[in-house]
Structures are given as C-alpha cells and as structure tokens.
Amino acid sequence: MTKEVVLGVDLGTSAVKVSAVDRQGTIVAQEAYDYPLSQPAPGYSEQNPEEWVSGTTVAIVRLILNDHLKAEQIKGISFSGQMHGLVTLDKSGKIVRPAILWNDTRASKQTRKINEQMGDEFINITRNRAQEGFTLPAILWLKENEPETFSRIDKIVTPKDYLRYRMTGKLQMEISDAAGTVALDVAAGTWSKRVQEVFDLPANMFPEIIQSIDNVGSISNAYAEFSGLNTETQVIGGAADNAAGAVGAAILQPNMVMSSIGTSGVVLKYEDTADVNYHGKVTFFNHAIPNKFYSMGVTLAAGCSLSWFKKNFASEISFDEMVDSAKSSTIGANGLLFTPYIVGERGDGDIRGAFIGVDGTQTRADFVRSVLEGIIYSFKDLFEIYEAAGTSFDTVVAIGGGAKSSLWLQIQADIFNTKVIALQNEQGPGMGAAILAAVGLGWFDSVQEAANKFTSFGETYEPVPENVAQYREYYELYKKIYGQTAELSHDLLALRRK
C-alpha cells in the first residue's frame, strides 16, 4: 500500500476510534479501543485523561501493525472529541485531577449561580444558558469544593485538546470546544473577560484559541517513539464531536439541518453568522468551519427510548425486525402517543415519558410506531424554536439509527414537512475529523470542498401532503400532553421519593 492517508480520531466517552482515510475519502483501515468510565459518587462522571492517550496510541499502533499502514503514509491527523470535559493541568503540564465529563451532574448549584448572577448578559456573551455538564460550572464547582486542587490549576483544556497536546507538546484550545466551555464570547471568538471577571477566574487559565483546520505542527519526538508515527506527520486542530459530526454529514449550508438519533437525539443547524439569537433555547457554538457557527437542540432519550422498549417488550426479535413491524400500524399509531422523556430532559430533569391513548385494540406494532413518532415529535419541538426565530431550511440530513429505516425516514419527512436524505457512507465525527485533517494539510481549499469529496448522499424522502396534514393534528395533541405529563411527573416522583 503506497497511498497517502490522514487519521481521523473520534475520541468518545467510552472508546476511541481511529480511521485511516485516503485522498478519495475511502476508509482504508479502522481500529478502536475501549476505556473505563469512573463514577466515584452519584451524579459524578470522570475519566483519567491518560486513558485517552493510551487508547488512541494502541489504536494507531494496531493500524501500523495489523492493517499494515506505514508511518510515512500517514500525512496528517485530526480529532473529534467528546465535548465539555474539564481537564486541569498544573504549571508543568501535568494532570491535576481526573477529568470531569459532560454527563457529570454535580455542578447543579454552580449552574444556577451562573444563570441567576448573569442572566441574559451571560446568554448574550456565550449565546448559551449554562447547563449541568458544561465546563464552566465544573470549574466553579472545583473552586468551591476543592480549593487546594483549584489553586494548582495553571491551564484548563477539553479532552481532544489534551490529546493533541500530548502528541505535539503545544497547549491550545480549538474554538468549537472553547465555545462549549461557555466561557467564550462566541461572536468575537475570544475568551470572555466579563465571565472571567464575574466569577473571579484568572485569564491565564484559558489557553490560546485555534481554528479547527489550523496546522499546529508535527508529531513530537516523544510521541513518535511512543506510537510509531513519523515526526513529519502534521497535527490539525480538530473539533468538538457535534461540529465534526456536522462536517462529516456535509451540513455545510444555512438551508441544512442534521437529525441524529443515537442514545440521545440531536437536531443541529448550520448558521452562517452569529446574528441570530435563540435566547438560550438551543445551544449555539462556533463551527469547525472558520467564522461559521451551528446551533443544536437535544432530546436526551431518543434512541434510548427505543432501546428501552425493545429490552422490555421485544427482546426476542432483532432491532430491525422491531422497527419494521411498525409498518403494519398507521399514522398516529392507531391513536397512541408516546412522550420520549424516560430519563428526564435538559431544563426539566423530573419530567418522565408516557403512553397516552392505550386501548385493547392496539398491538405491539402500534407501540413501536408510537415510540418512533414520539421521538420525531420531540425533534419537531426543536424545529419550532427555529421557526419562531425566523430561520428557515429545506433539507434534513438524517444520521444514526433514524437513518437506517426507510419507514422512520419517511416519518421524519412527514412530521417535519421537509425533505429528508440519508448519507450513503455515514461515518460520523471520525470522518469529520479526517476532513479537517485533509483541509489542514492543504489537500483541499475549504472544508466544504473536502466534505463534498468525502461524503455522498443517498435516497431522498419527500413529505407526503396527506401524511403531513394527519401528523400536524397528532403533533398538536402531543404538545398538550407534554405540559400535563411534566406536572404529573413531578407529583409522581415526589411520591416515589418519600
């Protein structure tokens, strides 16, 4: 094998996956490595950053040894990383304590403090409302609860930025991850002096900001010896996982929205400028594309709702068989509605899911269809936030579990009343990281050019007018049910906790 490749490193919460991609966008080899998650107390979620370094290195070594890549073939490397994780370093660049991750909920008090103390001013600067799991609340938690640890911190970074630091010896934070700390002035692309001032945080704690496609230099001698890589391999900034995922899904124009169904569900929209303000109702971050942005809303239990249903009520059949069974049901699941909030929701941790309209004539297929539809109704809620803000789009790119079923793709088109397309070669954030590496190396002039080369679209699903009309009526009922479910959920949980 003589072809040149780039490596796209997808640094997730439970595993890292490294993909070798050639100049045509073909994945020629792929390796992965799992690592543990630590939960030392209820609501705590931590990892040792050295696990990321070791896991990534093992995957790279396997590419070289098992997949017979030569080090000189690997021209560049870039990253997609789990967002919001807090990595703390001392003056010598050593880890101060385990990283606090995005799914850690210990900083509820600090989250409330941020929102109460700064209010709309915080949203205007960061374009976001502080949430549990974001980096700034975790920093303030450390300051309040581990003052000795806090006093040793010289710099903070996010997970993939720490990994890049270990490969190059250069400590920086890439802008899409910097935005996810909610300590950034998003429109200006600089750390917010106002946020630092209000919460008494030293400015030197926040490292230099770089762009996703910036070439930060070559692999260091130390990491080359550790990994088998060549010191001529160039290292490119990378991006937060959702930004990299959007690049890998070719979400590159203001008319495009991504619908992603994994354990959670994500609706992500490309934003051409920072002029739009959603007032904290969806998150708003800097994109991997220089001087561009993206907004995003999340349903915490999207795919999780379907997995929960299968585990408890359809364990004897395959996942695909279960989803396909919904074809025997009807639009509206024969009068059955499902609210997919089985693990709560951001902004309302106590809300729970519900089936409404159960009667003796319905079958399991109706319940399956109601779950599929309920997940997409929850996405429609996010679409309405966009519509209320005056933004528009005409294309939804579906990825994840919702893109693997023609039925579910058509349900999305009908409920969204927008055409829906799937990718032919979906590879997620890892492909986005490879695209950023290719651009940073100069193989392409822009992220858009590289993404158009590396990705391709499949079948288009157009909304059917009669279906759209029926779903509109069911969705209006769904919205009424949400408010009533929220109130009853709080009462039920209060009784359960007695």
Side-chain angles (χ1 to χ4, degrees), residues 139-457:
I139 295 171
L140 298 184
W141 185 92
L142 281 181
K143 185 179 180 184
E144 184 175 334
N145 293 276
E146 296 182 6
E148 189 279 328
T149 297
F150 185 83
S151 69
R152 293 165 51 205
I153 299 172
D154 180 63
K155 290 287 187 295
I156 62 107
V157 288
T158 48
K160 68 101 173 51
D161 295 307
Y162 177 73
L163 179 58
R164 192 183 58 248
Y165 162 63
R166 288 296 306 278
M167 290 185 175
T168 63
K170 297 179 180 179
L171 188 61
Q172 300 144 327
M173 196 181 297
E174 174 275 326
I175 194 165
S176 66
D177 255 339
T181 67
V182 293
L184 190 78
D185 183 327
V186 165
T190 58
W191 294 116
S192 170
K193 293 181 180 179
R194 177 63 177 157
V195 169
Q196 293 169 3
E197 174 187 275
V198 170
F199 300 110
D200 191 24
L201 298 173
N204 64 1
M205 180 182 288
F206 299 88
E208 173 194 4
I209 293 173
I210 63 171
Q211 296 293 322
S212 300
I213 59 173
D214 282 353
N215 186 331
V216 304
S218 58
I219 293 290
S220 68
N221 289 327
Y223 191 73
E225 185 174 348
F226 185 37
S227 64
L229 288 174
N230 195 309
T231 55
E232 294 183 2
T233 297
Q234 301 299 297
V235 183
I236 314 302
D241 53 8
N242 286 305
V247 169
I251 305 297
L252 306 169
Q253 301 294 336
N255 68 315
M256 302 179 77
V257 171
M258 182 177 77
S259 163
S260 173
I261 300 175
T263 300
S264 63
V266 171
V267 170
L268 183 150
K269 185 181 182 299
Y270 176 102
E271 304 285 357
D272 206 33
T273 73
D275 292 342
V276 63
N277 191 341
Y278 297 110
H279 307 288
K281 293 181 179 179
V282 294
T283 55
F284 190 94
F285 297 131
N286 302 76
H287 209 327
I289 304 168
N291 303 313
K292 302 300 179 184
F293 307 86
Y294 70 95
S295 56
M296 184 179 70
V298 175
T299 297
L300 290 181
C304 176
S305 294
L306 202 58
S307 299
W308 163 82
F309 184 88
K310 182 185 183 308
K311 176 184 175 182
N312 288 284
F313 306 109
S315 59
E316 79 284 1
I317 59 176
S318 72
F319 195 87
D320 289 345
E321 286 177 303
M322 182 186 71
V323 173
D324 284 347
S325 72
K327 293 176 181 177
S328 66
S329 183
T330 62
I331 290 173
N334 283 313
L336 186 62
L337 280 169
F338 173 69
T339 58
Y341 303 110
I342 63 172
V343 297
E345 198 55 37
R346 283 183 174 170
D348 188 354
D350 284 348
I351 193 171
R352 291 295 180 265
F355 286 103
I356 305 294
V358 180
D359 68 36
T361 67
Q362 291 151 348
T363 66
R364 184 170 69 180
D366 296 316
F367 280 84
V368 173
R369 179 142 188 159
S370 73
V371 174
L372 299 180
E373 292 175 344
I375 292 166
I376 305 306
Y377 291 142
S378 74
F379 281 24
K380 179 69 171 174
D381 285 343
L382 299 170
F383 278 47
E384 290 208 331
I385 293 173
Y386 287 122
E387 291 166 6
T391 60
S392 60
F393 43 86
D394 58 22
T395 302
V396 176
V397 178
I399 66 172
K404 294 178 172 60
S405 160
S406 59
L407 172 65
W408 213 355
L409 287 163
Q410 188 61 54
I411 289 172
Q412 291 185 65
D414 292 336
I415 291 177
F416 297 151
N417 192 20
T418 307
K419 72 177 179 183
V420 174
I421 55 178
L423 295 172
Q424 282 188 338
N425 60 339
E426 181 188 331
Q427 292 295 332
M431 179 60 78
I435 288 169
L436 297 175
V439 176
L441 285 177
W443 288 5
F444 300 92
D445 291 334
S446 68
V447 174
Q448 287 89 338
E449 181 186 353
N452 288 332
K453 175 73 172 180
F454 279 26
T455 61
S456 56
F457 293 113

Side-chain angles (χ1 to χ4, degrees), residues 37-40 44-52 85-89 94-101 104 106 138 141-142 146 149 152-153 157:
L37 179 70
S38 173
Q39 295 176 303
Y44 286 31
S45 182
E46 300 181 348
Q47 272 176 337
N48 178 358
E50 291 307 312
E51 296 280 1
W52 308 329
L86 172 61
V87 183
T88 53
L89 305 176
K94 302 298 183 184
I95 296 166
V96 173
R97 73 175 316 283
I100 299 176
L101 301 190
D104 187 291
R106 76 182 75 181
W141 185 92
L142 281 181
E146 296 182 6
T149 297
R152 293 165 51 205
I153 299 172
V157 288

